[in-house]
Amino acid sequence: MLKLAILGLGYVGLTTGLGFTKIGHKVTGYDVDHGKLARLKSGQLTIYEDGLQDILSKGLSDGSLTFTEDIGLAVSSADFIFVCVPTPQDVDGAADLSFVLASVESIRGLVSPGAIIVLKSTVPAGSAARVTRVLARTDVNIVSNPEFLREGSALQDFLYPDRIVIGAENPEAANQVASLCSSLDTQVLITSPESAELIKYATNTFLAIKLSFVNDLAALSEAVGADIRQVTDGLGLDKRIGNRFLAVGPGWGGSCFPKDTRALLRLSEQNGLPMPLIGASLLSNQKTQGRVADIVLELVGGSLEGKVIAVWGLAFKANTDDTRESPSLYVIERLLSRGAKVKVYDPVAKAPEGLTVQVCEDPIQTAKGAHCLVILTEWEEFKFLDPEEVMQGMSEKNILDTRSILPSMQWREHASLFRRLGVKG
Ligand code: UGA
């Protein structure tokens, strides 16, 4: 049984640690937040994610999973040390490496000879080389192993990845990291550290550009009388494009896409090779959020002053409680700034402090008295609600489905105005 230490028990670190426990390794988790450690030690999950609770409980009871406040204890007997600390956005858009560098510095004298430090945090190309200089140990290898876990399906993504990317100067160290994942049935790609680091940013940015393109096409579809769903069905049948990640929405968000696209743009600029596509995709995303607010304005007759707008969904996507850079929040801010009163419902996400909205307990109650209902997150439960019951209490029966999830025939029948993004009103 190989021994792993995980430094940083946020979203990535905790899922990675629990994933490795699940596939038979012995894992010790460490975090600077002792409150978080106490909760995890008592078997309480600190993130909202399907499938992790059972692994946490089982790991704690059979001893394959431990948590400690003592970083020395965590790393000194570990064969692999996974660095999973955040890389937030710097003032100029670049990734801030200070947590990564500080973590590595703090373990410099504690790691055993022969151990491998694995960088999971999303870091710009060249970071592994920087970390190697900070560590200044010739008996310890540094390996880049970016994560591709999606919130809401992180455990599935860990267990059934599309690929595992391992970037290392030393092929033997890369093979050792690969052997950790040998029970996972997937392709392992071994690269240089710089390539592995760039693959991570390139993946998120490519996907963000893809979505910006779809959301721009949705606006054009409305103008020319096309239906974005039919258009993306047709696009997706081309095997070179693929049919995944083509769903129209109110813009992309979350803790990764916005941060990573900006960081890649910054990296390209720092290298004197600015990538205009990335800037355009960021602009397009802002435009999409603004367009959603504009459609609401149009549906309520040109002024939001004193109008009540019901919003379903605060999370940046379904199956997570995360509202970081959620398009929903941007749309709500725009509605509020134009004088609307906003009522919101989300099955799990909480409204951030300071957001002046009325939080409701259920979707039907949220719609009561509203002049327009906007669906901003694609929660499954919204699909099955009875449109007649929802619209009964509304002041005006105007509906905007930005995620294209409601059965439109049924909803259109009961609504005064029904709009689905990407189809002419
Ligand atoms: C993303 C990547 O998908 C993961 O591979 C990566 O590991 C992670 O970032 C990270 O860097 O840690 P995540 O942020 O959880 O994962 O979210 P996604 O599922 O990728 O969705 C991102 C945004 O795109 C959301 O706002 C979502 O609503 C939107 N989206 C996604 C659409 O509007 N349409 C789609 O078809 C798919």
Side-chain angles (χ1 to χ4, degrees):
M1 205 188 247
L2 290 162
K3 284 192 190 162
L4 277 57
I6 309 282
L7 307 187
L9 298 169
Y11 202 84
V12 171
L14 189 58
T15 311
T16 302
L18 292 171
F20 277 122
T21 311
K22 168 100 181 155
I23 61 171
H25 301 302
K26 195 168 163 55
V27 172
T28 303
Y30 167 83
D31 198 288
V32 285
D33 180 345
H34 291 184
K36 186 183 279 183
L37 288 172
R39 289 206 296 286
L40 290 167
K41 278 183 185 179
S42 71
Q44 233 181 300
L45 209 55
T46 45
I47 56 173
Y48 178 87
E49 191 65 46
D50 210 30
L52 296 186
Q53 184 62 60
D54 286 351
I55 308 175
L56 176 65
S57 310
K58 187 169 174 294
L60 287 172
S61 67
D62 67 17
S64 58
L65 181 65
T66 48
F67 296 99
T68 178
E69 294 82 9
D70 182 346
I71 194 165
L73 202 66
V75 303
S76 56
S77 62
D79 305 300
F80 299 87
I81 296 131
F82 282 79
V83 178
C84 305
V85 296
T87 46
Q89 188 179 303
D90 227 338
V91 275
D92 62 356
D96 174 356
L97 286 191
S98 50
F99 294 119
V100 173
L101 298 175
S103 299
V104 171
E105 222 173 315
S106 69
I107 58 171
R108 187 193 289 142
L110 304 170
V111 182
S112 299
I116 295 178
I117 296 182
V118 187
L119 300 178
K120 270 273 171 212
S121 305
T122 300
V123 289
S127 301
R130 248 180 106 179
V131 166
T132 305
R133 287 194 295 276
V134 167
L135 187 72
R137 294 251 320 240
T138 49
D139 57 347
V140 173
N141 278 294
I142 309 278
V143 170
S144 279
N145 173 220
E147 57 86 19
F148 301 101
L149 310 173
R150 288 164 301 169
E151 293 187 22
S153 54
L155 180 63
Q156 288 306 303
D157 289 345
F158 180 92
L159 296 174
Y160 307 101
D162 286 350
R163 79 299 206 190
I164 291 172
V165 176
I166 301 173
E169 293 295 352
N170 179 340
E172 180 45 31
N175 287 334
Q176 285 186 49
V177 175
S179 73
L180 273 182
C181 310
S182 58
S183 63
L184 303 178
D185 179 21
T186 191
Q187 188 174 340
V188 176
L189 180 69
I190 296 184
T191 67
S192 69
E194 291 79 7
S195 298
E197 291 162 338
L198 196 53
I199 287 168
K200 167 64 198 242
Y201 279 111
T203 304
N204 276 1
T205 305
F206 189 89
L207 291 169
I209 291 173
K210 190 175 180 185
L211 291 177
S212 286
F213 181 71
V214 166
N215 290 333
D216 283 350
L217 264 186
L220 188 62
S221 297
E222 289 172 22
V224 301
D227 178 336
I228 189 64
R229 278 217 306 234
Q230 294 175 358
V231 176
T232 49
D233 281 353
L235 265 177
L237 285 171
D238 187 320
K239 289 196 180 70
R240 292 167 304 175
I241 297 174
N243 60 9
R244 292 170 65 190
F245 237 77
L246 286 175
V248 68
W252 40 265
S255 64
C256 304
F257 277 16
K259 169 175 82 74
D260 294 352
T261 44
R262 288 182 206 121
L264 186 59
L265 179 60
R266 191 73 199 109
L267 187 70
S268 69
E269 289 165 353
Q270 282 165 343
N271 282 275
L273 297 162
M275 294 169 73
L277 266 183
I278 307 179
S281 131
L282 282 156
L283 270 179
S284 146
N285 201 41
Q286 273 176 18
K287 215 173 80 189
T288 296
Q289 291 156 0
R291 205 170 81 78
V292 170
D294 289 345
I295 298 175
V296 177
L297 178 78
E298 190 189 312
L299 287 173
V300 299
S303 167
L304 280 161
E305 208 54 58
K307 294 280 164 60
V308 178
I309 309 300
V311 166
W312 285 355
L314 280 172
F316 79 98
K317 63 173 185 177
N319 305 319
T320 175
D321 61 351
D322 199 341
T323 58
R324 283 176 288 177
E325 300 228 26
S326 172
S328 188
L329 299 184
Y330 289 116
V331 171
I332 290 172
E333 294 285 6
R334 283 179 168 86
L335 298 173
L336 290 171
S337 71
R338 293 177 185 180
K341 292 193 171 66
V342 177
K343 295 173 79 180
V344 299
Y345 168 75
D346 189 288
V348 293
K350 306 238 173 325
E353 219 146 287
L355 191 72
T356 49
V357 293
Q358 181 188 339
V359 177
C360 300
E361 291 303 310
D362 74 75
I364 311 272
Q365 187 206 342
T366 316
K368 280 220 162 68
H371 298 88
C372 183
L373 165 65
V374 195
I375 292 83
L376 289 171
T377 312
E378 73 283 23
W379 286 101
E380 193 72 9
E381 67 174 67
F382 299 154
K383 294 183 189 169
F384 307 107
L385 293 168
D386 174 6
E388 199 175 357
E389 193 188 349
V390 172
M391 282 183 246
Q392 223 165 40
M394 288 180 72
S395 290
E396 284 170 24
K397 298 177 179 171
N398 299 318
I399 312 288
L400 171 59
D401 178 6
T402 69
R403 295 281 189 170
S404 214
I405 56 159
L406 300 177
S408 27
M409 287 239 290
Q410 246 178 299
W411 280 73
R412 210 178 277 281
E413 213 176 283
H414 296 280
S416 311
L417 294 171
F418 179 87
R419 287 282 297 271
R420 167 158 76 73
L421 271 196
V423 191
K424 207 173 191 158

